[in-house]
Amino acid sequence: MTDEDMSIETREAPKEEWGNDISPDQDGKLFKKIIQEGIGEGQPKKGDEVFVHYTGRLLDGTVFDSSVERNELFNFKLGEGKVIKGWDVGVATMRKGEKCILTCLPEFAYGEQGAGENIPPNSTLQFEVELFRWRGEDVTGDGGVIKNVINEGSGYQKPSEGSTVNVFLRGSIGEAVIEERELEFCLGEGIEVGVIEGVEKALEKMKTGEEAEIIIKSDYAFGANGNPSLNVPPNTEVTYIVKLISFTKTKASYEYDSVDDRITDATGYKEKGTVYFKSSKYSLALKLYKRGLGIVEKSSVYKEEEKEATKGVRILLHLNMAACYLKLDESYEARQQCEKVLEEDPTNIKAHFRKGQAFQATRDYDEALKCFQEVLKLESTNRSASQQIQVCRQRIKEQREKDKKMYTNMFKKLADLNERDAPPTQDKQEEPVKDAITEAMEKAEELQNGDETMKEESQNGDEPVTA
């Protein structure tokens, strides 16, 4: 009898020892027989990472694969098509510690193609599977936020940063409930209404109507300070039951039909971001500026006339992002934003100034000096630039003095070392030492001469450039 004949026969008359028909349509394509009961009532959900041992056999008993023989648990994400259909359906019916035999007809196994040399086409397969444990979806990729689905949502869309979400939250530590409320807020700005980062990250993975248990490590919850008002101690893991009741998705860049609408929305994000900036909430401000830039950045608008029309608000957003990065001590990113402005507007004074500030933050005073000097070329009365030029020159002078001392001391030690070790009769060995000393003195003289070039006309002061 061929494998194909066997498959046809088993579809028509499944063997009783295969157990219960658990195929979704009850059409005799997947069977399950429990050989060891599990514990508890919980079962893994779609998206959970499950850990199992298995042994796979053909119907004649031939073993073609076994994690047991390798002594290594096999793990996969349930319901995402990473394994054969029989596994996605069958393992979802198991409880912790349960061991069963899944009999998978070809439609729920490897079908007409088979798999390699060991699994012929149209093979019915049997897997002895033991479920050891499972864990929910690792939202953050580092185990910091784990999502266990309680009730599946509907549809396929999920909220993204900027979406307005209506949610129910119940937070707890063990059996103690720390908060319970229903609220509406803008995703990405949850901190303004006391929503922790871990909840926001989980919401981005949820569908309308979905309810989930979210296990959140302290780094994504209340951190090292805890939250005294909610009786949360420092460095404490918390658990939230979250239900996404509804959401309004923010408009994607490609969904805009009018350049005027792009400018209006981008300007709105800029203004909202500036409110956060003035309240010293620089990370939130940066999020809003980025959101606005996503609507009007060059890669988002395709026609040249649209690029030109959105240029003004785009430049302002880049400049304000640079200001945020400076406040957040992220100098390289600040400099990048300034350079993007200068690509479109080489004479932009604020871009040159903030680029100079970014170089100052990394103690690159030579480059910072060039930036502030460029500001004076464009606006000779800019007192802020004049002040920063004086600061840069002073820092450069201090650094040169430090270098001069370092070189002098270094070569003096070298000379002393050579003088001590050199044999008295080998006078010719003194020459390299003299050269080294000469080099040190020349370097020191060069640095001294460099100081003289720093003395120029007196400069004026001004208020710093603001966002």
Side-chain angles (χ1 to χ4, degrees), residues 178-452:
I178 57 174
E179 66 166 324
E180 185 171 347
R181 54 182 169 146
E182 183 178 321
L183 74 158
E184 183 176 279
F185 67 98
C186 188
L187 198 58
E189 301 171 51
I191 191 172
E192 287 295 283
V193 289
V195 176
I196 58 177
E197 183 183 4
V199 167
E200 288 202 275
K201 288 188 176 295
L203 281 166
E204 292 184 19
K205 303 289 186 179
M206 297 176 68
K207 296 180 289 188
T208 300
E210 182 177 330
E211 185 177 11
E213 176 192 57
I214 316 298
I215 302 170
I216 307 169
K217 300 288 188 184
S218 64
D219 286 349
Y220 293 94
F222 298 98
N225 295 323
N227 188 322
S229 65
L230 296 178
N231 295 318
V232 179
N235 302 310
T236 301
E237 179 179 290
V238 296
T239 299
Y240 272 79
I241 301 299
V242 179
K243 182 174 182 179
L244 177 57
I245 299 169
S246 64
F247 71 92
T248 303
K249 199 169 178 65
T250 187
K251 202 172 187 179
S253 176
Y254 62 84
E255 295 176 313
Y256 283 89
D257 298 321
S258 163
V259 68
D260 290 336
D261 288 343
R262 286 182 184 274
I263 293 171
T264 298
D265 286 0
T267 300
Y269 285 127
K270 179 183 72 69
E271 290 173 352
K272 189 175 182 181
T274 299
V275 172
Y276 285 135
F277 186 92
K278 290 179 178 179
S279 300
S280 301
K281 298 173 181 177
Y282 305 119
S283 294
L284 275 177
L286 185 60
K287 283 185 179 182
L288 272 295
Y289 294 146
K290 284 182 177 180
R291 208 173 294 162
L293 184 63
I295 301 171
V296 294
E297 62 184 342
K298 284 185 176 181
S299 59
S300 301
V301 287
Y302 308 107
K303 298 177 181 178
E304 288 302 321
E305 57 268 28
E306 288 184 346
K307 291 180 181 178
E308 188 61 31
T310 55
K311 176 179 174 179
V313 66
R314 183 166 56 250
I315 284 176
L316 289 174
L317 286 163
H318 279 305
L319 287 171
N320 287 358
M321 286 173 66
C324 287
Y325 281 127
L326 287 170
K327 293 290 188 180
L328 295 168
D329 293 325
E330 297 181 35
S331 305
Y332 176 74
E333 288 78 5
R335 204 166 73 233
Q336 281 190 315
Q337 297 303 315
C338 295
E339 287 169 356
K340 288 179 180 179
V341 173
L342 295 173
E343 287 175 6
E344 295 198 75
D345 182 8
T347 61
N348 190 285
I349 290 173
K350 285 187 177 182
H352 284 293
F353 191 92
R354 288 179 183 166
K355 186 177 178 181
Q357 288 179 307
F359 278 121
Q360 277 184 316
T362 56
R363 299 184 180 182
D364 192 343
Y365 298 111
D366 289 299
E367 290 299 321
L369 179 62
K370 293 176 186 177
C371 294
F372 295 128
Q373 287 174 333
E374 189 64 31
V375 173
L376 281 189
K377 287 180 184 177
L378 297 168
E379 187 179 73
S380 60
T381 58
N382 192 304
R383 295 172 60 196
S384 294
S386 298
Q387 288 178 337
Q388 296 309 314
I389 286 172
Q390 292 288 61
V391 170
C392 288
R393 285 177 172 156
Q394 179 61 31
R395 295 291 182 268
I396 292 170
K397 181 178 179 181
E398 291 170 358
Q399 186 59 48
R400 286 182 173 171
E401 288 289 344
K402 188 177 179 181
D403 290 344
K404 183 166 61 176
K405 290 179 181 178
M406 179 186 71
Y407 278 111
T408 301
N409 291 335
M410 181 176 66
F411 285 110
K412 184 178 184 300
K413 289 178 181 178
L414 179 62
D416 292 342
L417 184 63
N418 278 272
E419 184 177 349
R420 185 194 67 188
D421 295 340
T425 58
Q426 296 179 350
D427 295 336
K428 287 190 289 186
Q429 291 185 9
E430 296 178 4
E431 189 62 30
V433 177
K434 291 180 180 179
D435 289 343
I437 295 171
T438 301
E439 182 180 348
M441 296 308 295
E442 288 175 352
K443 181 67 178 177
E445 185 178 353
E446 178 186 335
L447 291 169
Q448 180 62 41
N449 290 337
D451 292 342
E452 296 300 322

Side-chain angles (χ1 to χ4, degrees), residues 7 10-12 14 18 20-32 84-87 89 102-109 123-125:
S7 297
T10 55
R11 288 181 208 168
E12 293 174 349
W18 287 0
N20 298 321
D21 181 357
I22 62 168
S23 50
D25 297 329
Q26 292 290 290
D27 53 2
K29 295 179 180 178
L30 178 65
F31 294 84
K32 175 185 173 183
I84 60 173
K85 189 175 180 180
W87 274 45
V89 175
L102 297 175
T103 302
C104 309
L105 271 71
E107 294 89 338
F108 277 64
S123 293
T124 295
L125 306 177

Side-chain angles (χ1 to χ4, degrees), residues 95-126:
R95 293 179 295 159
K96 183 177 180 181
E98 180 180 320
K99 186 184 290 187
C100 71
I101 295 176
L102 297 175
T103 302
C104 309
L105 271 71
E107 294 89 338
F108 277 64
Y110 294 98
E112 296 178 354
Q113 292 76 29
E117 298 179 356
N118 296 326
I119 302 177
N122 296 308
S123 293
T124 295
L125 306 177
Q126 289 189 319

